[in-house]
């Protein structure tokens, strides 16, 4: 008897599964902290160059003591919006200083300034029909470029032609909104901001490697041991992160946190999928992703009340210590135990499930489940087996590309919450909450139109929304945020279906290896996304355009994947090869179903 058939007797989503699934959803909520905590740890406060002491002394000796605001306007360039420049300081010899004309803290031109433009003050006065004293008192505004043209169309004098230099003594960060971030504490802005982007990319690279290794470990040693080791490391590294003395230690702990989270999430997702029957797989697959999306809002709420990044890291990571105890409540996957030939262990867990679900199992049911199982050859598979045949290689490569593209858009939109402007807390919470309607819609349509069509529609619509987010003027803030939410909603919903499709496409004997391999390759999207954000320095809309075009390409490629609607989960590699051989390579041609799959589809139709 196939295990899916056995679950119809034992309970496809009975009391036992619901209790464990609730715990799995709590862990999914918690996973957001390690994934996107950097959005709030690394938020960039308002800042400007720290004014060196010799600049202060020069100003005081030249014009006397001035207010701090005036000192800032004298020594630091200002942008068009009137705010101080974040990364530059006027050179000492290019300060516009004069003992007169400082009413209302306005900095005037003086003779020295005009001499720098190769025109004497007398000539300027003549050309402007003014006296030298009038020229000397000409007021310069930081908010706009002031020019003076000669009457005969000669030389143009601009007041902003002063040399600047990078901040020689670091920067001063505002604490009006954020008490402390890793940017303000470790000075990660301007010429140092590459460190923050690199840390994020290394974090996702760590998740990539851990996802691949944890998948092989889970298929070799079981889902529960991987969960336990991962959760211990996740909780300890998260708490220790709050005490990082420098950026190097922070990066190491942050990467460990991301790697351990990959182990935890991969193991609980597989457990959640393998313990339910075909009719309830959509609940198991989409429910975990919905809880992950809701976790964004919880993290944003914590960050709103904890404006110090150390306090946030400590409070947000602490629940992981309690989640370690979930190991005692999670039973090992019976599918995995049967595939490994551990029948006695499987019997013990099945008996517990039957008791909790209040189901009486007849001897004939036990016999049919374990019939001929002892004859199955036990083989340890690796990700290389995913490419041993042409059909396997095509399916795996296509699945990886689609999942990779989804991760680029999903991670990029979440990491760019601050770049959308306005309130970063509200933006992040909305972007997370946007996952919910997208996934609910996908869950509603999963068993109606199938997996492939949902992925195609979601990725294409989300991609178009991303492109429009980049090209629409930023002053239309409400429209930009709305399109970003649509993009996140659709790409998030499509990504959850991709994850579910991957779990359904591969057999039990290699499910965790294949899922972890595909997920780890998809993690490259998370590695690339922070670097794509840097493209905004050259062309502001470019990151959104890249995310959008990649998502659209993934939507088209998804049509090459095998539809799993109404199909039983394969148990062996041989079953997978048969299913792949049955599938027509024509997109819309009706695929002939095996007798077992046809029977499953007929039963679902009768239930509906």
């Amino acid at each position: 008897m196939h295990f899916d058939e056995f679950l119809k007797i034992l309970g496809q989503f009975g009391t036992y599964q619901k209790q464990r699934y609730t715990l799995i959803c709590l862990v999914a909520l918690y996973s957001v902290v390690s994934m996107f905590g950097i959005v709030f740890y690394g938020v960039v406060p308002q800042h400007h160059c720290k004014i060196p002491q010799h600049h202060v002394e020069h100003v005081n000796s030249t014009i006397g003591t001035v207010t701090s605001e005036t000192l800032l306007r004298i020594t630091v360039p200002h942008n068009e919006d009137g705010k101080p420049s974040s990364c530059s300081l006027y050179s000492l010899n290019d300060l516009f200083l004069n003992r007169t004309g400082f009413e209302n803290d306005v900095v005037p031109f003086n003779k020295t300034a005009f001499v720098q433009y190769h025109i004497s003050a007398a000539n300027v006065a003549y050309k402007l029909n003014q006296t030298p004293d009038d020229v000397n008192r000409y007021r310069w505004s930081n908010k706009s470029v002031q020019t003076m043209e000669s009457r005969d169309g000669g030389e143009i004098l601009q007041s902003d032609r002063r040399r600047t230099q990078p901040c020689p003594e670091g920067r001063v960060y505002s604490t009006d909104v954020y008490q402390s971030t890793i940017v303000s504490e470790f000075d990660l802005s301007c010429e140092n901001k590459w460190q923050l982007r690199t840390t994020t990319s290394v974090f996702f690279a760590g998740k990539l490697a851990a996802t691949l290794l944890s998948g092989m470990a889970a298929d070799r040693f079981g889902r529960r041991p991987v969960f336990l080791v991962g959760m211990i490391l996740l909780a300890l590294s998260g708490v220790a992160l709050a005490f990082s003395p420098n950026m190097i230690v922070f990066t190491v702990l942050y990467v460990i946190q991301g790697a351990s989270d990959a182990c935890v999430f991969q193991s609980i997702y597989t457990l959640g999928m393998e313990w339910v029957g075909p009719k309830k797989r959509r609940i198991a697959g989409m429910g975990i992703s919905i809880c992950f999306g809701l976790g964004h809002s919880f993290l944003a709420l914590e960050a709103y009340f904890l404006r110090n990044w150390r306090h946030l890291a400590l409070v947000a990571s602490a629940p992981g210590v309690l989640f370690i105890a979930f190991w005692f409540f999670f039973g090992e996957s019976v599918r995995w135990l049967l595939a490994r030939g551990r029948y006695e262990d499987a019997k013990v867990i099945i008996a517990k499930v039957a008791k909790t679900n209040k189901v009486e199992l007849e001897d004939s049911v036990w016999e049919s489940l374990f019939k001929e199982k002892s004859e199955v050859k036990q083989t340890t598979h690796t990700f290389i087996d995913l490419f041993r045949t042409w059909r396997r290689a095509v399916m795996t490569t296509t699945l990886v590309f689609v999942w990779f593209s989804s991760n680029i858009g999903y991670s990029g939109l979440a990491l760019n919450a601050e770049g959308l402007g306005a309130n970063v807390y509200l933006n992040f919470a909305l972007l997370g909450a946007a996952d919910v309607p997208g996934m609910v819609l996908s869950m509603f349509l999963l068993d109606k139109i199938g997996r492939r069509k949902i992925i195609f529609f979601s990725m294409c619509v989300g991609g178009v929304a991303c492109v429009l987010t980049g090209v629409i003027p930023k002053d239309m803030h409400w429209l930009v945020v709305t399109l970003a939410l649509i993009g996140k909603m659709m790409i998030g919903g499509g990504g959850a279906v991709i994850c579910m499709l991957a779990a359904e496409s591969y057999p039990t004997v290699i499910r965790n290896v294949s899922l972890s391999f595909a997920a780890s390759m998809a993690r490259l999207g998370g590695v690339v996304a922070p670097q794509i954000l840097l493209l905004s320095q050259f062309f502001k809309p470019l990151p959104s355009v890249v995310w959008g075009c990649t998502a659209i390409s993934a939507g088209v490629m998804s049509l090459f994947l095998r539809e799993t609607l109404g199909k039983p989960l394969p148990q062996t590699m041989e079953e997978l090869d048969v299913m792949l051989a049955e599938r027509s390579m024509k997109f819309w041609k009706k695929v002939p179903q095996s007798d077992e799959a046809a029977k499953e589809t007929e039963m679902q139709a009768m239930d509906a």
Side-chain angles (χ1 to χ4, degrees):
M1 178 186 293
H2 196 283
F3 191 70
D4 281 341
E5 294 292 330
F6 178 73
L7 280 175
K8 294 176 182 177
I9 302 173
L10 185 63
Q12 296 196 54
F13 198 62
T15 304
Y16 180 90
Q17 289 98 323
K18 291 175 182 177
Q19 291 173 351
R20 273 63 185 175
Y21 193 73
T22 301
L23 302 182
I24 288 174
C25 288
L26 290 177
V27 178
L29 282 169
Y30 176 73
S31 293
V32 179
V33 175
S34 65
M35 186 78 166
F36 292 121
I38 194 69
V39 172
F40 299 105
Y41 302 157
V43 71
V44 183
Q46 289 290 334
H47 59 278
H48 60 79
C49 289
K50 182 179 179 181
I51 302 173
Q53 185 59 34
H54 59 275
H55 275 60
V56 178
E57 293 174 354
H58 180 63
V59 171
N60 291 340
S61 63
T62 305
I63 62 176
T65 304
V66 296
T67 64
S68 57
E69 181 183 354
T70 300
L71 179 65
L72 186 64
R73 296 179 67 182
I74 293 174
T75 56
V76 177
H78 281 58
N79 303 320
E80 293 182 358
D81 59 2
K83 296 180 179 179
S85 174
S86 302
C87 304
S88 59
L89 181 78
Y90 282 130
S91 300
L92 184 64
N93 295 332
D94 289 285
L95 297 177
F96 284 154
L97 302 175
N98 197 300
R99 293 182 181 276
T100 60
F102 260 88
E103 300 86 354
N104 299 321
D105 288 334
V106 178
V107 185
F109 276 107
N110 60 15
K111 297 178 182 179
T112 305
F114 289 116
V115 170
Q116 292 175 4
Y117 302 124
H118 312 291
I119 300 179
S120 67
N123 289 336
V124 172
Y126 171 78
K127 288 184 177 182
L128 295 178
N129 195 25
Q130 295 177 343
T131 65
D133 288 338
D134 292 332
V135 175
N136 200 39
R137 292 187 176 89
Y138 181 82
R139 295 181 176 180
W140 168 69
S141 171
N142 284 300
K143 295 182 179 180
S144 60
V145 176
Q146 302 290 334
T147 62
M148 291 187 293
E149 297 186 25
S150 61
R151 290 182 301 179
D152 56 1
E155 195 159 355
I156 298 178
L157 305 179
Q158 294 184 334
S159 66
D160 64 340
R161 292 183 180 177
R162 291 187 282 172
R163 290 173 296 179
T164 60
Q165 62 183 17
C167 305
E169 299 182 6
R171 281 148 285 275
V172 176
Y173 293 86
S174 170
T175 58
D176 294 340
V177 180
Y178 314 103
Q179 293 179 8
S180 175
T181 70
I182 59 173
V183 174
S184 63
E185 190 166 329
F186 302 136
D187 193 18
L188 301 182
S189 61
C190 302
E191 69 275 8
N192 297 327
K193 66 181 178 181
W194 64 271
Q195 297 182 34
L196 183 60
R197 296 301 182 197
T198 301
T199 294
T200 306
S201 291
V202 174
F203 166 85
F204 281 105
K207 289 182 76 72
L208 183 156
T211 302
L212 181 60
L213 295 176
S214 67
M216 292 188 288
D219 277 345
R220 177 66 180 85
F221 303 106
R223 285 46 164 154
R224 288 177 74 235
V226 172
F227 167 80
L228 178 62
V229 174
M231 182 53 72
I232 292 174
L233 290 175
L234 177 60
L236 294 180
S237 60
V239 172
L241 193 74
F243 302 95
S244 303
N246 52 56
M247 195 58 191
I248 295 177
V249 175
F250 177 91
T251 300
V252 172
L253 291 173
Y254 188 52
V255 172
I256 293 175
Q257 188 184 34
S260 54
D261 175 66
C263 299
V264 171
F265 194 85
Q266 202 72 22
S267 60
I268 63 170
Y269 189 89
T270 306
L271 276 173
M273 289 292 292
E274 291 185 337
W275 258 118
V276 300
K279 288 179 60 178
K280 303 297 181 180
R281 267 189 245 146
R282 62 175 182 173
I283 297 177
M286 302 302 293
I288 294 174
S289 299
I290 288 173
C291 289
F292 184 81
L294 290 175
H296 289 65
S297 299
F298 283 99
L299 178 59
L301 187 64
E302 290 176 314
Y304 180 80
F305 289 104
L306 299 171
R307 302 299 178 94
N308 185 306
W309 77 271
R310 294 185 183 274
H311 299 164
L312 175 61
L314 184 61
V315 172
S317 301
V321 178
L322 299 177
F323 292 163
I324 295 174
F326 285 5
W327 180 80
F328 297 101
F329 300 94
F330 288 153
E332 185 56 85
S333 168
V334 173
R335 291 181 189 270
W336 179 82
L337 291 173
L338 294 175
R340 301 297 297 182
R342 294 170 54 178
Y343 309 121
E344 293 302 321
D345 293 335
K347 288 180 180 179
V348 173
I349 297 177
I350 290 173
K352 180 188 288 188
V353 177
K355 181 179 179 180
T356 305
N357 289 351
K358 298 179 179 180
V359 175
E360 293 289 339
L361 295 177
E362 299 178 358
D363 292 339
S364 59
V365 176
W366 286 100
E367 291 175 2
S368 61
L369 176 64
F370 293 106
K371 184 180 180 180
E372 299 179 354
K373 293 293 183 182
S374 58
E375 300 177 6
V376 177
K377 182 180 179 181
Q378 301 303 320
T379 305
T380 299
H381 295 278
T382 67
F383 67 90
I384 296 176
D385 293 309
L386 302 177
F387 298 91
R388 289 196 184 278
T389 68
W390 171 251
R391 289 190 178 94
R392 293 184 199 173
V394 170
M395 182 183 73
T396 301
T397 303
T398 305
L399 188 62
V400 165
F401 175 76
V402 176
W403 205 345
F404 165 83
S405 303
S406 170
N407 269 7
I408 285 184
Y410 188 89
S411 300
L413 287 168
L415 293 172
N416 195 42
E418 185 182 2
L420 295 177
N423 191 313
V424 63
Y425 303 103
L426 181 60
N427 289 345
F428 188 81
L430 290 175
L431 286 171
D435 289 355
V436 178
M439 292 177 187
V440 170
L441 178 63
S442 297
M443 185 168 62
F444 177 75
L445 296 175
L446 267 176
D447 291 340
K448 296 183 181 298
I449 65 174
R451 280 63 164 152
R452 288 190 308 166
K453 292 180 182 178
I454 293 177
I455 297 172
F456 170 76
F457 177 77
S458 299
M459 297 300 289
C460 289
V461 173
V464 171
C466 283
V467 173
L468 294 177
T469 300
V471 300
I472 288 178
K474 293 300 180 183
D475 54 356
M476 301 177 66
H477 179 259
W478 64 271
L479 184 56
V480 172
V481 173
T482 300
L483 289 170
L485 293 178
I486 293 175
K488 183 76 159 32
M489 178 182 72
M490 301 307 295
I491 293 177
V497 178
I498 294 168
C499 188
M500 183 177 178
L501 180 63
E504 293 178 334
S505 297
Y506 293 104
T508 302
V509 294
I510 198 176
R511 181 166 296 119
N512 231 62
V513 167
S514 57
L515 192 60
S516 62
F517 174 78
S520 62
M521 294 298 101
R523 294 292 184 194
L524 287 172
V527 176
V528 173
Q531 305 305 320
I532 293 178
L533 280 172
L534 296 177
L535 296 177
S536 61
Q537 299 176 357
F538 307 101
F539 184 54
K540 203 71 174 177
L542 194 54
S544 297
V545 173
V546 171
W547 298 330
C549 292
T550 306
I552 294 171
S553 301
V556 175
M557 289 295 294
S558 67
L559 297 176
F560 288 92
L561 295 172
R562 182 178 72 91
E563 181 58 71
T564 59
L565 175 62
K567 310 284 182 63
L569 292 180
Q571 296 285 95
T572 64
M573 297 300 290
E574 290 73 19
E575 289 183 27
L576 173 64
D577 291 334
V578 170
M579 290 180 177
L580 291 177
E582 288 178 349
R583 182 187 181 279
S584 171
M585 296 304 293
K586 295 182 179 180
F587 296 156
W588 305 110
K589 183 177 178 180
K590 207 161 188 176
V591 181
Q593 293 182 320
S594 62
D595 294 340
E596 188 176 6
K599 182 180 178 181
E600 176 70 27
T601 304
E602 182 180 352
M603 291 181 65
Q604 287 189 5
M606 293 175 63
D607 291 339

